[in-house]
Amino acid sequence: MTLMLLVLALFGACIGSFTNVVVWRLPRQESPIWPGSHCPSCGHPVRWHDNVPVLGWLLLRGRCRDCTAAISARYPIVEAFSGFLWLSALIPALRSSNTLLITLLMGLVLVSLLLPLVLIDLDHLWLPEPICRAGVISGVLATALLAWGGGSERPESVLLNHLIASAAGLLVMEGLSALAERLLGQPALGLGDAKLAAMAGAWLGLGGLGISMALAVFSGAAVGTLGRWTGRLGPRQPFPFGPFIAFGIWMTWLMGAPWWWQRWLALMGGT
């Protein structure tokens, strides 16, 4: 088990390193594959031993080996956080003993798609359609794999539920966006949020979609209220909603929609 944890954390940090590249290049319409990693200040290629996640930054003391330009601490933070997220993917996998490996692999795919979406939305208020589309497709494939591989009694019903949820997430969010724009006179939700909601439906189904969006709304409202109360956000200043949807998706994937529903009933005084 210790070896598995170490391998997950290591590979997760490596994916976090690639995520940093995607987050930097995709908004600039650059290929995340070619050319290889290089210093944005001097353009010199990063040596392989300087590209080791977290450790490379620490050994370089946060500066380029060639031009000594500062390297943001965000790089190792993202790498370490990605490693932590990969470790957290074990939570639902260990609950699904008969589909442990499938559930783990699918969770790793999901979180590796969510992380760049969150970071790009925080930086640019933009959720790239290619990643959202890949998220929807992979969610449908993951659902099919888990439904048939897990021995569900009616796997076709499970798949249909997730397809309907994906379409519902897209249409409902687009409808809310149009309604909010009509009422407020300015966009309140981006179309990227609708596509991320479609991704939520593809991965989580109708019940999971409802739970994840509820978590997104509550967490987004709490952060937005705090931001306006402290003056960090202006009265009509937009802020990204994608990170909160991603948070809701991942929390629902980790604990399962029934677990969250039970917590909600307990909070409301039910049984």
Side-chain angles (χ1 to χ4, degrees):
M1 184 53 125
T2 303
L3 180 60
M4 177 186 284
L5 294 177
L6 184 60
V7 169
L8 276 177
L10 248 154
F11 275 93
C14 290
I15 293 298
S17 181
F18 180 68
T19 296
N20 281 321
V21 176
V22 171
V23 170
W24 174 262
R25 296 188 187 184
L26 199 59
R28 293 165 176 80
Q29 298 185 336
E30 300 175 4
S31 168
I33 306 297
W34 183 263
S37 297
H38 56 274
C39 173
S41 297
C42 67
H44 196 283
V46 177
R47 295 161 180 81
W48 71 267
H49 49 83
D50 291 336
N51 217 15
V52 178
V54 182
L55 185 61
W57 187 90
L58 291 172
L59 292 175
L60 289 171
R61 298 183 181 180
R63 295 197 170 272
C64 172
R65 183 181 293 276
D66 297 285
C67 68
T68 70
I71 303 171
S72 173
R74 170 168 156 168
Y75 287 95
I77 291 172
V78 168
E79 291 164 354
F81 187 56
S82 179
F84 168 77
L85 289 174
W86 271 46
L87 287 173
S88 71
L90 274 171
I91 295 173
L94 292 174
R95 288 200 309 270
S96 311
S97 55
N98 59 327
T99 57
L100 188 152
L101 185 58
I102 298 175
T103 304
L104 176 60
L105 290 175
M106 294 304 99
L108 298 179
V109 170
L110 175 58
V111 78
S112 297
L113 289 168
L114 289 176
L115 185 55
L117 286 170
V118 167
L119 296 172
I120 292 173
D121 202 22
L122 287 172
D123 289 341
H124 303 281
L125 291 175
W126 175 54
L127 292 164
E129 184 172 344
I131 302 180
C132 291
R133 192 186 308 122
V136 172
I137 294 171
S138 61
V140 172
L141 292 175
T143 298
L145 191 58
L146 286 169
W148 269 273
S152 297
E153 291 184 6
R154 299 185 62 190
E156 65 281 355
S157 298
V158 175
L159 183 59
L160 180 61
N161 177 291
H162 284 239
L163 289 171
I164 292 172
S166 183
L170 180 68
L171 294 175
V172 170
M173 289 293 282
E174 284 187 346
L176 288 174
S177 177
L179 178 63
E181 187 168 1
R182 181 181 292 272
L183 293 176
L184 301 176
Q186 68 178 39
L189 293 169
L191 292 181
D193 296 326
K195 291 164 186 170
L196 187 51
M199 179 176 164
W203 279 90
L204 304 172
L206 286 168
L209 173 65
I211 294 293
S212 64
M213 296 309 297
L215 289 170
V217 169
F218 284 127
S219 58
V223 171
T225 301
L226 182 63
R228 302 202 195 287
W229 182 66
T230 58
R232 299 290 296 269
L233 286 172
R236 297 175 73 88
Q237 179 182 346
F239 67 99
F241 189 52
F244 302 103
I245 300 177
F247 168 77
I249 293 172
W250 189 238
M251 289 298 101
T252 306
W253 176 264
L254 288 187
M255 306 309 300
W259 186 89
W260 285 105
W261 181 243
Q262 289 299 321
R263 302 290 82 70
W264 173 255
L265 290 178
L267 186 64
M268 293 294 102
T271 58

